Amino acid sequence: MVKVTKVKSGSLYEEKESYSRVVAVDNWVFVSNTAGRNYKTREMSTDPVEQARQCFHNIEGALASVGATLADVVRSRVVIPHVEDAAAVMAFVGEKFRGIDPCSTVTCPPLGGPDYRVEIEVTAYKGAGAAGPEYINVSL
């Protein structure tokens, strides 16, 4: 029997647009695209790195709600609408994922408003962080 857990975080858009912050299917954990907004205060910094920091705070809370951690992340998608913010944001993202090394996609398309400087989505597999990965170098 497959266990499916859907987590709502209280975002106005989750109800309006019918989605969940997290959907966990057995050990797979999918976290929706997450903005750098503090969902309790509704405030959002104008600084892209501070928004990235808040994104990770939100993501780590979402993962914890289903028993996963950032170490379990196997894939990330980072959206940075202003290409001039990319280097600073990705330096911060790189530090957060140091030693985790998920597959990653980074794009610079426009987001849903001028205040959004970064959004991050992740996929995790519970227990992946404790698995002790094998690293392979390949020449492509």
Side-chain angles (χ1 to χ4, degrees):
M1 177 66 85
V2 174
K3 179 180 179 187
V4 178
T5 305
K6 297 185 179 187
V7 178
K8 303 284 189 172
S9 68
S11 167
L12 304 172
Y13 294 105
E14 290 171 1
E15 291 308 315
K16 182 179 177 182
E17 298 173 2
S18 299
Y19 74 93
S20 298
R21 175 66 40 205
V22 176
V23 175
V25 181
D26 290 333
N27 285 333
W28 284 105
V29 181
F30 304 91
V31 180
S32 292
N33 207 24
T34 302
R37 179 178 301 282
N38 180 319
Y39 292 118
K40 290 180 182 161
T41 66
R42 305 297 304 153
E43 294 176 358
M44 188 164 59
S45 172
T46 58
D47 180 81
V49 175
E50 286 305 311
Q51 283 193 23
R53 188 179 319 281
Q54 184 66 51
C55 286
F56 273 96
H57 175 81
N58 296 342
I59 289 167
E60 289 177 274
L63 289 167
S65 75
V66 293
T69 70
L70 203 60
D72 296 323
V73 171
V74 296
R75 180 162 184 72
S76 70
R77 291 179 186 91
V78 181
V79 180
I80 307 166
H82 303 281
V83 71
E84 65 271 14
D85 295 338
V89 168
M90 290 312 298
F92 177 77
V93 170
E95 286 304 312
K96 290 298 287 186
F97 282 136
R98 183 85 49 228
I100 300 169
D101 305 323
C103 292
S104 180
T105 300
V106 180
T107 60
C108 294
L111 290 172
D115 296 337
Y116 292 90
R117 305 301 291 231
V118 61
E119 289 188 350
I120 302 171
E121 169 189 343
V122 301
T123 302
Y125 188 86
K126 288 190 264 184
E134 171 186 3
Y135 282 86
I136 298 173
N137 290 318
V138 63
S139 178
L140 300 176

